[in-house]
Amino acid sequence: MDKIKNSKILITGGAGFIGSNLADALIEDNEIVIVDDLSMGKIENLPQSTHLHFFEHSITDEEFMNRLLLNWKFDYIFLLAAVASVADTIVRPIETHEVNQNANLSILEIIRVNQLPVKKILFASSAAVYGNMPELPKREESNVDPQSPYAIDKYATERFTINYGKLYGIPTVATRFFNVYGPKQNPNSPYSGVLSLISNAIKTDGMFSVFGDGEQTRDFVYINDVIQALNLLMLSDQTLFQVYNVATSKVTSLNQVINNFEAISGKKLKVKYVSDRLGDIKNSYADISKIRSVGYKPQISILEGLRKYWDFLVDENEGNLK
Ligand code: NAD
Ligand code: UD1
């Protein structure tokens, strides 16, 4: 696999799920700086290494970000810090806008004003930008219909990232992640990713609430495939000023995922069905031909991914669950 090497890398939100897995993958061959306020991320997620420099800080602190960017002159910047829950942004639209949009815009502005020599900046946008537009699978050229403050901020910031690139000659790229899952996704908020909540409920014999009838569909993509995509998009010249779906192009309903997880874990999940969640998307899956043209090939099926995820959770619990 093509991997970034011998570089100074900034990962905002790097103590979180995707960022910490990315740090694990890149730490051996690079210097990595992580800025995370630990609102969802955890120190324990981070690799132990002299190559890792961690700052517990909010990306909304412009003065701090200014100093950091000027001191380090990063080669690659992954903008992953966000309040990643759609539902949470519906409860806290203004506060989350500061993080999900304004702080990222301000980082781009610091890079522009100081003409910092970055090789590429990647912004993590989301499949949520497509909203409930009927076209399936979602193509990058499909109409967007962002429904929630989360999706609106992701779409606007994605556009800022791409167009700052074009207007001011800063190398940028953006990803629209679909539903990423795997080790280190934090299950401790009611707004956490659904697979972390399901696995946690299975582990602890807790109750899991399905919003709606469970027939909503998602394109669940395992974290290792996302790491593959992130490396390719950063390293390829072809990706400049482009936005890419990152997914598997396979569609799975919530009910199917629950059945699969029960089969893999050998445990029964306690489920109750409650009303639909406000702002929820009904069906979502991706066309991934654009990112395939850069060399991306998803390797891990949903069954394989759930098995790997479950094995990780069992190991984490020192085998007590087997
Ligand atoms: P996550 O919540 O695990 O990671 C986000 C990290 O950002 C957390 O560690 C959190 O503590 C940190 N953070 C939040 N506010 C911050 C602030 N003000 N300053 C500094 N750090 C802050 O979520 P994730 O799943 O790893 O998502 C990473 C990125 O990918 C996010 O931008 C998210 O919106 C995007 N994304 C994720 C998915 C998915 O399915 N997981 C899908 C689409 C897009
Ligand atoms: C997720 C990501 C979001 C990303 C988007 C891209 C998280 C927290 N959210 O949003 O960052 O941009 O994918 O597609 O990682 N559900 C239940 N019960 C629960 C929780 C969820 O039934 O307790 C349902 C939801 O109603 C939804 C589905 O499961 O239909 C997925 O929910 P969730 O994991 O929160 O993801 P998205 O809203 O798709």
Side-chain angles (χ1 to χ4, degrees), residues 170-292:
I170 303 167
T172 57
V173 62
T175 53
R176 291 179 182 162
F177 294 139
F178 281 62
N179 289 60
V180 189
Y181 69 101
K184 302 205 280 192
Q185 192 164 26
N186 181 347
N188 295 330
S189 149
Y191 304 131
S192 292
V194 70
L195 282 174
S196 70
L197 292 173
I198 291 173
S199 62
N200 201 44
I202 291 186
K203 254 173 71 171
T204 58
D205 279 327
M207 177 67 75
F208 176 74
S209 301
V210 173
F211 300 129
D213 60 5
E215 287 306 303
Q216 60 265 54
T217 58
R218 291 292 186 273
D219 188 332
F220 291 104
V221 54
Y222 193 68
I223 183 68
N224 292 20
D225 284 331
V226 170
I227 303 299
Q228 180 202 153
L230 290 173
N231 274 289
L232 283 168
L233 296 176
M234 275 302 206
L235 292 173
S236 163
D237 291 337
Q238 185 187 329
T239 62
L240 213 56
F241 313 143
Q242 299 294 315
V243 60
Y244 292 88
N245 288 339
V246 178
T248 64
S249 203
K250 298 280 187 301
V251 62
T252 311
S253 73
L254 201 49
N255 288 329
Q256 276 170 335
V257 131
I258 291 172
N259 288 340
N260 289 337
F261 228 148
E262 287 180 334
I264 284 165
S265 64
K267 295 179 113 203
K268 189 88 191 134
L269 176 69
K270 291 181 192 147
V271 182
K272 69 173 179 216
Y273 285 79
V274 299
S275 50
D276 290 356
R277 185 161 78 176
L278 186 67
D280 212 19
I281 307 298
K282 184 71 185 165
N283 295 305
S284 168
Y285 84 99
D287 180 314
I288 55 169
S289 40
K290 187 169 176 186
I291 191 166
R292 275 190 190 278

Side-chain angles (χ1 to χ4, degrees), residues 111-126:
I111 289 160
R112 175 178 88 88
V113 169
N114 296 287
Q115 298 184 326
L116 295 179
V118 60
K119 288 187 180 152
K120 205 176 276 173
I121 305 175
L122 181 147
F123 173 70
S125 182
S126 164

Side-chain angles (χ1 to χ4, degrees), residues 8-308:
K8 285 183 287 178
I9 300 172
L10 170 63
I11 309 175
T12 71
F17 163 46
I18 297 176
S20 64
N21 278 287
L22 180 64
D24 285 341
L26 297 179
I27 194 71
E28 209 172 303
D29 304 317
N30 301 281
E31 285 296 309
I32 297 190
V33 172
I34 285 176
V35 178
D36 198 301
D37 68 355
L38 300 183
S39 49
M40 278 298 274
K42 292 187 198 152
I43 289 279
E44 310 85 84
N45 285 345
L46 297 175
Q48 303 257 328
S49 164
T50 50
H51 295 199
L52 188 93
H53 312 267
F54 174 69
F55 297 92
E56 183 178 346
H57 225 95
S58 174
I59 57 162
T60 55
D61 183 341
E62 209 176 312
E63 234 180 88
F64 167 78
M65 290 308 296
N66 194 71
R67 247 181 296 129
L68 184 84
L69 289 160
L70 263 63
N71 281 346
W72 274 84
K73 304 220 167 34
F74 295 104
D75 298 304
Y76 295 98
I77 299 179
F78 292 91
L79 298 175
L80 303 187
V83 176
S85 158
V86 175
D88 196 6
T89 70
I90 294 175
V91 179
R92 301 186 293 139
I94 303 291
E95 215 178 311
T96 57
H97 175 70
E98 287 304 318
V99 182
N100 290 357
Q101 179 166 333
N102 288 345
N104 287 305
L105 179 54
S106 142
I107 291 170
L108 291 171
E109 182 64 1
I110 294 166
I111 289 160
R112 175 178 88 88
V113 169
N114 296 287
Q115 298 184 326
L116 295 179
V118 60
K119 288 187 180 152
K120 205 176 276 173
I121 305 175
L122 181 147
F123 173 70
S125 182
S126 164
V129 305
Y130 296 115
N132 274 321
M133 297 302 285
E135 186 185 332
L136 283 170
K138 309 290 186 191
R139 294 173 305 117
E140 290 82 350
E141 303 75 34
S142 298
N143 287 333
V144 296
D145 181 22
Q147 305 267 321
S148 56
Y150 175 83
I152 295 166
D153 282 337
K154 285 292 181 189
Y155 187 63
T157 309
E158 169 197 310
R159 294 295 98 197
F160 268 124
T161 305
I162 298 301
N163 289 307
Y164 249 67
K166 288 184 189 163
L167 288 167
Y168 308 121
I170 303 167
T172 57
V173 62
T175 53
R176 291 179 182 162
F177 294 139
F178 281 62
N179 289 60
V180 189
Y181 69 101
K184 302 205 280 192
Q185 192 164 26
N186 181 347
N188 295 330
S189 149
Y191 304 131
S192 292
V194 70
L195 282 174
S196 70
L197 292 173
I198 291 173
S199 62
N200 201 44
I202 291 186
K203 254 173 71 171
T204 58
D205 279 327
M207 177 67 75
F208 176 74
S209 301
V210 173
F211 300 129
D213 60 5
E215 287 306 303
Q216 60 265 54
T217 58
R218 291 292 186 273
D219 188 332
F220 291 104
V221 54
Y222 193 68
I223 183 68
N224 292 20
D225 284 331
V226 170
I227 303 299
Q228 180 202 153
L230 290 173
N231 274 289
L232 283 168
L233 296 176
M234 275 302 206
L235 292 173
S236 163
D237 291 337
Q238 185 187 329
T239 62
L240 213 56
F241 313 143
Q242 299 294 315
V243 60
Y244 292 88
N245 288 339
V246 178
T248 64
S249 203
K250 298 280 187 301
V251 62
T252 311
S253 73
L254 201 49
N255 288 329
Q256 276 170 335
V257 131
I258 291 172
N259 288 340
N260 289 337
F261 228 148
E262 287 180 334
I264 284 165
S265 64
K267 295 179 113 203
K268 189 88 191 134
L269 176 69
K270 291 181 192 147
V271 182
K272 69 173 179 216
Y273 285 79
V274 299
S275 50
D276 290 356
R277 185 161 78 176
L278 186 67
D280 212 19
I281 307 298
K282 184 71 185 165
N283 295 305
S284 168
Y285 84 99
D287 180 314
I288 55 169
S289 40
K290 187 169 176 186
I291 191 166
R292 275 190 190 278
S293 78
V294 185
Y296 170 77
K297 203 166 169 280
Q299 311 274 349
I300 297 166
S301 68
I302 182 79
L303 278 176
E304 231 182 307
L306 290 177
R307 187 160 293 123
K308 276 172 174 291

